[in-house]
Amino acid sequence: MGSVTRTKLMSVMALCAMIGLLLMPILVAIPALAGDGGAPAADGKKEGGEAKVEKGKDVYYKTEGIVSGPPAPKTTDSEKDYPRYNFESRVLLWFANQQHLYYGSFVLAVPIFCMVIEFMGVVTKDKAMAKRYDQLAYDFIKISLTAYSLTAILGGILIFTFLTLYPAFFQYLSGIFRPVMHIYALMFVAESGTLYIYYYGWDKMKEGFLKWIHLSMSVVLNVIGTILMFLANSWIGFMMSPAGVDEQGRYLGNIWHVIHTALWNPLNLHRILGNMAFGGGVVAAYAAYRFLSAKTDEERAHYDWMGYIAMALGVAFLIPLPFAGYWLMREVYAYRQQMGITLMGGLLAWLFIIQATMIGILFLSTNYYLWQALGRMRGAEKYQRYIKYLVFLLTCGYLVFITPHTIVMTPAELKAMGGQQHPVLGNYGVMSAKNGGINVIITTTVLSFVWYMRGNKVSTVSWAKFGNIFMGCFFFFAYLNIIMLAIYGYYIPANVRVGLSVPQVATTLSCLFFMFALNSVMMKGAKQMGPIEWGKISARSQYALIMLATAFTWMMGLMGYIRSSVRLFWHVNEIMRDNSPWAYTHTVGFAANMISANVLFFWISIMFVFWLGALAAKKAPVEAKAAVPGRATAPAVGH
Amino acid sequence: MKALMSVGALIGVLGLLMLIGMIFGVVPSNTVRLVEGYMPMQVLSELAIFVAGFAGLSYLANSMGMTIPRFWQGVLFWAFIQTYLKFRIYPPIPFSVRAMYGVVSFVAVFMWVSANEEDWKKFRQPILNVLDANTGFHKALRTMYLILLPILIGGFSFMTMKPSVDEPIELRTVHPAPPASTKVHGKTYTLQTSQNPYRVNLEGKYDQAYSNKLIVEQGMGRLMAPNANPWDDKAEGYLKYVREGGEIFFQNCHFCHGDNLNGRGLHAFAFNPIPANFTDPGTIAQLQETFIFWRVAKGGIGLPNEGFPWASVMPPWEQHLTTDEIWKVILFEYWHTGYYPRTWD
């Protein structure tokens, strides 16, 4: 057997081993899923030789099931249920949880980027570009590897925090989710094994068939990572919208009901997109930092390119994120009206305004970066003079989007306004207007991308003029449609109005897909006005990337807090009450400070991770360095 | 292009003159009225017209060799937005919202003037000149800033530290989250699933679509739907209940909530805040009927903790009205305002 064949065989075996690792927890879990979870019936008594089983009604699915677990504990404010330091336990848990989530999101997102970039490297015909993509994917996974260990450490800290500070609650939760938690742990083993084989096998599987095997490994790695996240989401889904238990919180033997709660799927989608956008932002910030501290033109070119790729990937997932968020909120309202009102119109409404502000900042930063990026292309000047109109559209959308429904004002202002409702602000403060606002913002972002993609090119197709007019009209009518639907929303019932978001989103996504496709066709074989001069971009653009990443981090912290706070004084909504002394909602100011502290800690620690990554880079072989992208010869097809 | 820009410039100049005239009372302040119901789009459209006008003005000035420096373009545009928000929109916008808008427009101006390197250089040049140019004018400016800045900072600190006699700012929760269920006159109503028993069709069955067709149309004039006059003696079913609800409303509610349901009743201005304006799209239009039922039945004193500072003096109407009367009056409120109650199907 030749050495090449042997290597191929080994690679296929490694891939099979990974798939085996992926399937193992599921196979192990089948008996647990099929049965009653192994928990003895709480009140099962032997009477006359027959087991008397008690039945309960599922609080969500309304189905009957055999009681298979103890009721949710009724805790008291005591050292037994809530052991504590002379400090607010909730804040410690908040910190541990948030840091674990930041790193967890990062290490789940980055392998997906690697997969995409490695795939781009495999399919591209340009050998130099292929090498650049491959090196970039390798750089990404290297950063992820260090972060992965930190994620595991933080996960351990989180569990210890739960066990030591909230033992009663954690015992209850782990009692219900026992099989899920075991599968989760096995999945983690599978994830680690796969990640290490994927990383250390990089150089061995560089070419041809082996490269495809390597790429397949990244798919397996990401499938495992995604399932891991889904399982973790089932716990928070259960805490917010419990199912699979009766009114006393007794497990009814159907683990799928416990996992598949009302909010599980919306949470899954929202978190996947959020993680990707967050991961893109963090890598883009890393590239921006390296760009700003670069000493040579080559370095600047490389990190400019890296920042652009990371930003583009992050924004690709940012664009659908508001729609996923909208679905989540819709499901929250459908699950419990009071929960929805607490979030969007009541106690937590102002946090949502802050969230809208952060979303706006994300899109504004993205647009600003793209406008700056036009500066590194010759021929893009023709678009720059129209940027002011895009600024206007973005600003109008943003102003509407952040207008609060509950306005902060002095009693004198309230009197001067003649009531709580303002005839202008009142209209901007509700969902119909806000949907219009965010869709205008996203459509404008798409337009900025289209301008960027054609910045240094002039279409040479015979129908170029028609194509340009068509694109102009398409965008014009898209804006018109979005605004008209937003206005129409005031004249129809609320349930129909909620449905209006679908044509609005469809309009925005049509712009994204059709206009990108049409633009690509028009720009095929286009006349180049000049190359993209990687590295020749303003420092402001890099600050925009850092802003983007910081806004992502801050927003994740905020949304996590909002999602958790909406349970108010419940550990598990309407099932297990939080009787600790900290079962109150923090003030907006305290929450903002806490989120900022978490963000600061995350960025300080991730800088350490980046520094470690940079140390390894210094030892990289000469061959890898030779592949550093963005030299003067970099082709203009990089975007 | 030049003709288009000239028209833009003309509109810009006329608009500016009109706005300044209305602010200083040279022309009547209602020359171009902001019409209730159309205000939100009117405001955005006016701003768009001004932007187009300023673009035209800038273009014309440029072509005549009288380029307005980019720095002053930015500063003046931002000042214009603040002036517009402060003086054009009535009722006045609270400071907190104007501050938010002010920051956003500042960021927008920054994005505009720094969108490309050339513009950014033009914009920052006057600032750099003040910092390091060696002309007499700039030296004088520097000296002036050296004196003015500490005074401004001192003044700001003084104003911040000075004890204020103003009432504190309130972050009032207008729509506190309702309980899962509420007990009125001995019966428990689940807010998520309960329905108004009088929202029925001619066959007496609950029918939201039927009642939706018969409400007063929104928009200018607020017309009754054809053949849907509740005060017609022959009106039956839903329309009859609307009339009965209307009678209850005018006997009990209109003193505060107003005969047009806009919160401007006879006694309204004795309260701060004044009673809820049902014609605003942010009130009953956003809520389920059962939410209104709970709020009407329990009144201001029934507000949960979340509703702090409980700035509502509405009586708990369950002490004065029967359950049926409460449902009917809610029916009337939706009928009159032309809004549909929120549903989840």
Side-chain angles (χ1 to χ4, degrees):
Chain A
M1 196 187 286
S3 66
V4 177
T5 319
R6 198 163 48 237
T7 316
K8 277 186 184 173
L9 198 63
M10 291 302 284
S11 305
V12 173
M13 281 169 69
L15 182 62
C16 291
M18 282 180 178
I19 295 170
L21 279 172
L22 169 65
L23 294 175
M24 179 184 67
I26 298 166
L27 293 173
V28 168
I30 284 171
L33 293 174
D36 61 357
D43 296 326
K45 289 174 188 170
K46 293 260 179 184
E47 205 174 276
E50 281 184 19
K52 191 182 174 187
V53 289
E54 192 183 350
K55 288 193 171 178
K57 195 174 180 186
D58 192 316
V59 284
Y60 177 66
Y61 286 102
K62 307 296 177 199
T63 51
E64 275 204 339
I66 298 166
V67 172
S68 311
K74 291 189 175 14
T75 55
T76 53
D77 177 13
S78 63
E79 283 284 338
K80 181 178 148 283
D81 290 330
Y82 300 103
R84 65 199 77 166
Y85 302 104
N86 195 13
F87 194 71
E88 187 181 331
S89 299
R90 185 172 48 158
V91 168
L92 292 175
L93 195 67
W94 186 350
F95 176 77
N97 216 336
Q98 190 61 62
Q99 294 305 321
H100 178 60
L101 275 169
Y102 278 145
Y103 276 93
S105 304
F106 183 67
V107 298
L108 286 178
V110 171
I112 301 180
F113 287 168
C114 285
M115 181 178 72
V116 174
I117 297 169
E118 197 184 0
F119 177 74
M120 281 159 72
V122 170
V123 295
T124 190
K125 285 174 185 151
D126 183 334
K127 290 234 163 154
M129 281 299 288
K131 210 163 188 181
R132 282 169 63 179
Y133 280 128
D134 198 62
Q135 183 61 35
L136 188 64
Y138 185 73
D139 285 349
F140 276 8
I141 204 74
K142 203 163 52 189
I143 298 169
S144 159
L145 210 66
T146 320
Y148 187 74
S149 329
L150 218 51
T151 310
I153 294 166
L154 286 164
I157 292 173
L158 176 61
I159 288 182
F160 286 135
T161 315
F162 262 125
L163 285 171
T164 51
L165 300 180
Y166 288 87
F169 164 66
F170 196 71
Q171 192 185 2
Y172 173 66
L173 198 69
S174 53
I176 300 241
F177 280 97
R178 193 180 55 192
V180 179
M181 284 183 174
H182 279 127
I183 296 170
Y184 183 84
L186 288 172
M187 278 291 188
F188 211 86
V189 174
E191 169 91 353
S192 310
T194 314
L195 179 66
Y196 287 120
I197 298 171
Y198 177 65
Y199 175 70
Y200 288 110
W202 203 289
D203 286 337
K204 299 258 185 220
M205 294 184 267
K206 275 200 287 208
E207 305 277 331
F209 173 72
L210 292 178
K211 190 65 188 167
W212 282 103
I213 294 283
H214 192 254
L215 194 57
S216 310
M217 287 178 181
S218 73
V219 176
V220 176
L221 176 66
N222 285 308
V223 170
I224 296 173
T226 308
I227 294 174
L228 259 175
M229 191 190 65
F230 284 1
L231 292 179
N233 289 350
S234 68
W235 309 332
I236 57 167
F238 177 79
M239 286 165 73
M240 285 178 81
S241 55
V245 292
D246 67 5
E247 278 184 343
Q248 296 174 50
R250 295 179 301 183
Y251 175 51
L252 298 178
N254 188 332
I255 196 72
W256 178 242
H257 280 184
V258 173
I259 296 171
H260 187 231
T261 52
L263 302 179
W264 188 53
N265 277 328
L267 275 169
N268 285 340
L269 180 69
H270 198 256
R271 273 198 157 169
I272 262 200
L273 294 174
N275 288 352
M276 294 295 292
F278 169 73
V282 173
V283 176
Y286 167 71
Y289 166 72
R290 297 297 300 263
F291 175 94
L292 291 169
S293 58
K295 299 276 190 297
T296 63
D297 285 347
E298 280 78 11
E299 265 188 283
R300 260 188 289 276
H302 174 72
Y303 289 111
D304 182 10
W305 181 70
M306 185 178 182
Y308 169 72
I309 297 280
M311 183 278 308
L313 283 170
V315 171
F317 291 92
L318 170 66
I319 287 175
L321 195 54
F323 309 133
Y326 189 82
W327 181 40
L328 174 59
M329 276 305 114
R330 192 179 149 169
E331 293 302 313
V332 166
Y333 263 100
Y335 172 70
R336 284 288 182 279
Q337 181 188 208
Q338 66 263 47
M339 204 181 241
I341 293 176
T342 300
L343 282 168
M344 307 212 54
L347 188 66
L348 304 171
W350 254 92
L351 295 172
F352 260 84
I353 291 300
I354 301 174
Q355 182 233 2
T357 310
M358 300 310 286
I359 292 172
I361 289 173
L362 293 177
F363 282 103
L364 255 54
S365 306
T366 306
N367 278 278
Y368 189 71
Y369 174 81
L370 290 169
W371 301 336
Q372 294 298 310
L374 286 173
R376 66 179 166 214
M377 297 180 209
R378 299 287 72 81
E381 299 80 9
K382 60 180 179 285
Y383 292 109
Q384 287 182 332
R385 76 178 93 146
Y386 298 112
I387 284 173
K388 54 178 170 281
Y389 302 113
L390 296 194
V391 174
F392 178 72
L393 283 170
L394 278 175
T395 310
C396 286
Y398 190 33
L399 287 180
V400 171
F401 194 53
I402 63 167
T403 300
H405 184 237
T406 302
I407 301 170
V408 177
M409 53 190 155
T410 63
E413 283 177 322
L414 183 64
K415 207 164 203 167
M417 214 169 84
Q420 193 82 46
Q421 289 81 32
H422 193 284
V424 176
L425 305 183
N427 286 277
Y428 293 160
V430 293
M431 215 58 215
S432 195
K434 291 190 187 306
N435 276 345
I438 190 65
N439 277 290
V440 163
I441 291 174
I442 298 174
T443 305
T444 309
T445 309
V446 172
L447 187 55
S448 291
F449 257 110
V450 169
W451 283 7
Y452 176 78
M453 288 194 294
R454 49 166 53 203
N456 61 336
K457 294 174 189 167
V458 176
S459 177
T460 51
V461 292
S462 57
W463 46 276
K465 195 173 178 184
F466 169 77
N468 286 335
I469 293 171
F470 181 80
M471 284 180 88
C473 290
F474 200 97
F475 273 106
F476 174 77
F477 286 111
Y479 281 119
L480 198 67
N481 191 37
I482 290 166
I483 294 167
M484 294 310 288
L485 287 173
I487 296 169
Y488 182 55
Y490 291 95
Y491 296 91
I492 49 174
N495 58 333
V496 185
R497 182 167 62 234
V498 169
L500 270 192
S501 61
V502 176
Q504 280 182 320
V505 171
T507 308
T508 306
L509 294 182
S510 301
C511 282
L512 178 69
F513 294 118
F514 293 147
M515 292 300 98
F516 271 26
L518 182 62
N519 194 54
S520 303
V521 174
M522 281 179 73
M523 292 301 140
K524 214 167 191 179
K527 188 177 148 199
Q528 301 272 346
M529 304 299 286
I532 299 177
E533 296 172 300
W534 291 107
K536 290 188 178 168
I537 190 168
S538 70
R540 294 190 304 284
S541 65
Q542 305 303 305
Y543 290 118
L545 289 183
I546 293 172
M547 181 81 181
L548 189 75
T550 314
F552 268 131
T553 325
W554 212 93
M555 201 169 80
M556 261 183 80
L558 177 76
M559 292 315 291
Y561 169 67
I562 294 175
R563 188 195 46 69
S564 189
S565 292
V566 76
R567 284 182 282 113
L568 302 175
F569 44 81
W570 296 100
H571 286 310
V572 178
N573 195 35
E574 296 167 13
I575 295 287
M576 183 182 177
R577 203 179 164 112
D578 181 354
N579 286 316
S580 72
W582 312 290
Y584 60 90
T585 306
H586 278 300
T587 60
V588 174
F590 182 90
N593 285 338
M594 188 64 201
I595 294 163
S596 299
N598 267 322
V599 169
L600 196 65
F601 185 87
F602 170 73
W603 279 103
I604 291 171
S605 57
I606 199 98
M607 289 298 267
F608 172 69
V609 172
F610 288 160
W611 175 73
L612 283 179
L615 276 185
K618 279 170 191 162
K619 290 175 193 163
V622 180
E623 187 198 354
K625 281 188 179 172
V628 167
R631 288 181 186 280
T633 51
V637 289
H639 55 74
Chain B
M1 184 70 174
K2 199 164 183 177
L4 197 68
M5 285 301 185
S6 305
V7 173
L10 189 67
I11 293 170
V13 170
L14 281 178
L16 263 184
L17 287 175
M18 185 78 84
L19 185 66
I20 294 166
M22 288 198 294
I23 290 170
F24 290 102
V26 182
V27 288
S29 61
N30 59 355
T31 309
V32 181
R33 278 182 59 213
L34 289 175
V35 184
E36 193 164 353
Y38 294 85
M39 267 182 171
M41 280 316 290
Q42 226 178 324
V43 167
L44 289 175
S45 308
E46 281 187 11
L47 284 174
I49 290 168
F50 274 116
V51 166
F54 293 156
L57 261 179
S58 169
Y59 178 84
L60 278 192
N62 225 356
S63 56
M64 286 190 287
M66 297 187 295
T67 309
I68 307 164
R70 186 47 54 102
F71 176 78
W72 288 111
Q73 282 185 19
V75 170
L76 288 174
F77 185 72
W78 186 76
F80 161 77
I81 296 287
Q82 306 320 303
T83 311
Y84 182 89
L85 293 173
K86 171 90 179 157
F87 295 106
R88 172 66 176 141
I89 298 175
Y90 191 85
I93 300 179
F95 175 76
S96 66
V97 181
R98 264 192 301 123
M100 283 167 71
Y101 287 0
V103 172
V104 171
S105 49
F106 180 81
V107 171
V109 168
F110 169 77
M111 287 170 73
W112 161 43
V113 297
S114 65
N116 63 65
E117 212 49 42
E118 199 187 329
D119 276 354
W120 179 233
K121 272 183 193 154
K122 279 190 212 163
F123 180 81
R124 66 182 183 177
Q125 198 53 52
I127 302 170
L128 293 176
N129 286 345
V130 171
L131 291 173
D132 65 3
N134 275 325
T135 63
F137 172 70
H138 289 109
K139 279 181 185 168
L141 262 183
R142 268 201 293 278
T143 314
M144 198 179 78
Y145 278 123
L146 196 67
I147 298 164
L148 272 181
L149 276 178
I151 294 174
L152 278 174
I153 294 167
F156 177 75
S157 308
F158 174 76
M159 295 305 287
T160 312
M161 300 300 289
K162 197 176 78 168
S164 167
V165 290
D166 294 336
E167 293 171 83
I169 285 175
E170 282 177 3
L171 183 54
R172 182 169 172 253
T173 305
V174 183
H175 299 314
S181 61
T182 187
K183 199 170 186 179
V184 178
H185 294 145
K187 190 178 170 191
T188 302
Y189 295 86
T190 305
L191 268 61
Q192 190 87 2
T193 51
S194 295
Q195 292 173 332
N196 189 332
Y198 295 100
R199 193 170 285 284
V200 290
N201 58 21
L202 289 170
E203 292 160 13
K205 286 183 184 161
Y206 181 86
D207 191 341
Q208 174 116 19
Y210 172 78
S211 59
N212 283 352
K213 282 185 205 151
L214 300 179
I215 59 170
V216 168
E217 285 174 17
Q218 279 196 76
M220 305 279 268
R222 291 187 181 271
L223 300 169
M224 274 192 285
N227 302 321
N229 178 6
W231 277 269
D232 183 342
D233 290 339
K234 290 174 196 156
E236 279 302 316
Y238 166 76
L239 287 172
K240 180 169 153 271
Y241 300 134
V242 166
R243 181 178 67 222
E244 289 171 9
E247 283 162 6
I248 298 159
F249 182 87
F250 285 106
Q251 284 162 10
N252 298 280
C253 317
H254 97 285
F255 302 106
C256 297
H257 286 288
D259 51 8
N260 202 25
L261 281 71
N262 58 0
R264 282 156 174 74
L266 198 62
H267 304 314
F269 291 95
F271 308 119
N272 191 20
I274 66 167
N277 171 5
F278 300 142
T279 62
D280 186 275
T283 57
I284 59 170
Q286 297 294 321
L287 302 164
Q288 240 184 303
E289 273 187 302
T290 48
F291 185 103
I292 318 290
F293 178 77
W294 162 67
R295 283 289 283 116
V296 173
K298 301 298 171 188
I301 58 165
L303 280 167
N305 288 348
E306 193 193 325
F308 182 84
W310 303 291
S312 168
V313 291
M314 186 165 75
W317 283 104
E318 63 180 343
Q319 293 174 11
H320 308 280
L321 299 176
T322 64
T323 308
D324 289 344
E325 285 171 333
I326 296 175
W327 282 123
K328 283 175 185 170
V329 87
I330 293 167
L331 206 64
F332 170 75
E333 286 167 5
Y334 279 104
W335 173 83
H336 191 283
T337 54
Y339 289 128
Y340 311 92
R342 183 180 280 274
T343 52
W344 304 107
D345 51 354

